[in-house]
Amino acid sequence: MEISGIVAGVPIILLFTFSSILINLIQVACYLSIRPLSKSTFRRINGAVTELLWLEIVWLMEWWSGLEVELHTDFKTYQLMGKEHALLMPNHVSDADSMLIWILAQRAGCLRSALTVVKKSTQYLPSSFEALKDFPMPFWMTLFVEGTRLTPDKLLEAQSFASSKGFPIPKNVLIPKTKGFVTAVQSLRSFVPALYDVTIAIPKGHPSPTLLRFFKMQPCKVKMHIKRYSMNELPESDESIAQWCRNRFIAKDALLENFAATNIFDEEQITDFCRSIKSLIVFSIFLLLLSLGAWISCQKFSLLSTLRGYTILGTMIGSAAIIVHIFLEFTKLPPQKSKAA
């Protein structure tokens, strides 16, 4: 058990829980009062208040932990980021990849509409995508087509599978599961103009980003490469789309192999891709509200002068510690049986 990570995570979880309750109350009020009148207006307001919650996660990574993110892409793609609907296809290297995409979305100005498809939701993809046709702002839909994060054991399984099927042997990625990707492309291509092929790389000498490292204020560094494809460039048939996806991961593997040797991407770094002051402001406001609420509660209910008060405080802190422990255990890399070549 990571005691230091739990201790550091407790106040953050308490703040996140407090702000979640506050934001959920606002969302319920808006759903009951605004959505019956205007679905589009409700979606905009709901996105704005949801962004406040995600900004706390961005603050945790950028300001508390000191995570450094470099973006490498062409200037035309950078100008379009956040201004158009897009399907994102990143590789999956750590338990923090979804949060890394949130940083990317926040800096591009579309954090409030950054969506992620998780494994258990793939069966509902067609109906979910249909609901996005009238989405009132640019959204990003992220799909981790490898299905799971890269580990030595998973890589060894992927290499064995590739060898048995006569595929190129991957060294830095897994074999993509193309069924969900095909469904996404066929469902979205009529109203989503672009696909972003996102490659996440960890520079030599830097640890992989994890939730535990974020809690413990341990800095990490990642480099992200983006290549934009127009949806019109993708093939029409299901099998051709699946093969296109596999080909992109073969190219992604080669890109990462070159990065492993040189520690750089060929595309220029976007130099004005900086961490957010907005997340720091939002966190500070929520911290002030929580501190004020805690002080008022302690005064009103004598939480620091009675046994009942100490019991309530102890229960809250203990519950937060349990939640942090569950999060850390859920994201922890399982024991590996072997190391892939």
Side-chain angles (χ1 to χ4, degrees), residues 90-98 144-151 172-174 198 200 249 252:
N91 55 318
H92 205 347
V93 299
S94 75
D95 63 76
D97 290 342
S98 293
F144 291 98
V145 296
E146 292 164 290
T148 186
R149 58 181 155 165
L150 183 72
T151 66
N172 308 282
V173 297
L174 304 180
V198 182
I200 303 171
F249 268 79
K252 193 188 293 283

Side-chain angles (χ1 to χ4, degrees), residues 125-127 129-130 133 182-191:
L125 285 183
S127 59
F129 291 145
E130 188 70 22
K133 279 189 173 181
V182 170
T183 301
V185 170
Q186 296 289 41
S187 301
L188 295 173
R189 68 189 315 160
S190 64
F191 60 97

Side-chain angles (χ1 to χ4, degrees), residues 91 93 199-203 209 221-225 255-256 259-260 265:
N91 55 318
V93 299
T199 302
I200 303 171
I202 313 297
K221 183 175 182 177
V222 297
K223 296 189 179 186
M224 305 178 78
H225 178 278
L255 180 66
L256 287 168
F259 179 86
F265 286 124

Side-chain angles (χ1 to χ4, degrees), residues 229-292:
Y229 293 92
S230 168
M231 278 289 192
N232 295 329
E233 298 178 45
L234 273 65
E236 295 292 333
S237 70
D238 289 0
E239 181 51 43
S240 296
I241 294 171
Q243 186 58 51
W244 186 92
C245 178
R246 287 190 285 267
N247 290 343
R248 295 287 69 73
F249 268 79
I250 292 172
K252 193 188 293 283
D253 190 41
L255 180 66
L256 287 168
E257 189 68 12
N258 182 68
F259 179 86
T262 63
N263 219 34
I264 59 172
F265 286 124
D266 291 337
E267 296 285 358
E268 286 190 22
Q269 180 185 346
I270 302 297
T271 54
D272 62 346
F273 192 70
C274 305
R275 65 179 179 177
S276 169
I277 291 291
K278 189 176 181 180
S279 65
L280 181 61
I281 294 172
V282 168
F283 171 82
S284 301
I285 291 173
F286 275 125
L287 181 61
L288 179 63
L289 291 174
L290 177 61
S291 301
L292 183 61

Side-chain angles (χ1 to χ4, degrees), residues 5 50 67 96 109 140 145 160 184 204 213 238 247 340:
T50 302
L67 173 68
W140 283 3
V145 296
S160 298
K204 284 181 181 178
R213 294 191 66 86
D238 289 0
N247 290 343

Side-chain angles (χ1 to χ4, degrees), residues 46-308:
N46 186 62
V49 296
T50 302
E51 182 182 17
L52 298 177
L53 200 58
W54 299 155
L55 281 168
E56 292 185 41
I57 306 298
V58 173
W59 169 86
L60 171 68
M61 293 184 285
E62 292 186 326
W63 293 94
W64 179 262
S65 170
L67 173 68
E68 222 181 304
V69 179
E70 285 186 12
L71 174 63
H72 296 260
T73 189
D74 61 275
F75 188 66
K76 182 180 178 181
T77 296
Y78 181 58
Q79 286 184 310
L80 289 171
M81 287 171 58
K83 297 179 178 65
E84 62 179 354
H85 297 326
L87 175 64
L88 275 66
M89 186 181 69
N91 55 318
H92 205 347
V93 299
S94 75
D95 63 76
D97 290 342
S98 293
M99 295 187 285
L100 295 178
I101 297 297
W102 287 349
I103 287 184
L104 200 63
Q106 195 280 322
R107 296 184 185 184
C110 61
L111 177 60
R112 65 183 59 185
S113 53
L115 313 170
T116 302
V117 178
V118 296
K119 282 190 288 186
K120 292 185 179 180
S121 68
T122 53
Q123 58 182 313
Y124 308 111
L125 285 183
S127 59
S128 300
F129 291 145
E130 188 70 22
L132 292 172
K133 279 189 173 181
D134 60 347
F135 205 76
M137 65 194 86
F139 69 79
W140 283 3
M141 174 65 72
T142 301
L143 184 62
F144 291 98
V145 296
E146 292 164 290
T148 186
R149 58 181 155 165
L150 183 72
T151 66
D153 282 357
K154 292 292 184 181
L155 181 56
L156 193 59
E157 290 175 15
Q159 291 171 337
S160 298
F161 177 80
S163 178
S164 68
K165 296 292 184 180
F167 295 160
I169 307 299
K171 296 181 180 179
N172 308 282
V173 297
L174 304 180
I175 306 296
K177 295 175 172 59
T178 57
K179 184 177 180 180
F181 178 77
V182 170
T183 301
V185 170
Q186 296 289 41
S187 301
L188 295 173
R189 68 189 315 160
S190 64
F191 60 97
V192 173
L195 181 147
Y196 295 168
D197 184 4
V198 182
T199 302
I200 303 171
I202 313 297
K204 284 181 181 178
H206 292 268
S208 181
T210 65
L211 185 61
L212 178 60
R213 294 191 66 86
F214 295 154
F215 279 153
K216 294 173 69 175
M217 301 178 69
Q218 296 175 338
C220 310
K221 183 175 182 177
V222 297
K223 296 189 179 186
M224 305 178 78
H225 178 278
I226 297 180
K227 183 171 178 58
R228 182 187 183 275
Y229 293 92
S230 168
M231 278 289 192
N232 295 329
E233 298 178 45
L234 273 65
E236 295 292 333
S237 70
D238 289 0
E239 181 51 43
S240 296
I241 294 171
Q243 186 58 51
W244 186 92
C245 178
R246 287 190 285 267
N247 290 343
R248 295 287 69 73
F249 268 79
I250 292 172
K252 193 188 293 283
D253 190 41
L255 180 66
L256 287 168
E257 189 68 12
N258 182 68
F259 179 86
T262 63
N263 219 34
I264 59 172
F265 286 124
D266 291 337
E267 296 285 358
E268 286 190 22
Q269 180 185 346
I270 302 297
T271 54
D272 62 346
F273 192 70
C274 305
R275 65 179 179 177
S276 169
I277 291 291
K278 189 176 181 180
S279 65
L280 181 61
I281 294 172
V282 168
F283 171 82
S284 301
I285 291 173
F286 275 125
L287 181 61
L288 179 63
L289 291 174
L290 177 61
S291 301
L292 183 61
W295 183 80
I296 293 173
S297 298
C298 287
Q299 295 296 315
K300 185 174 182 179
F301 301 106
S302 303
L303 296 182
L304 296 178
S305 58
T306 65
L307 179 60
R308 177 173 172 270

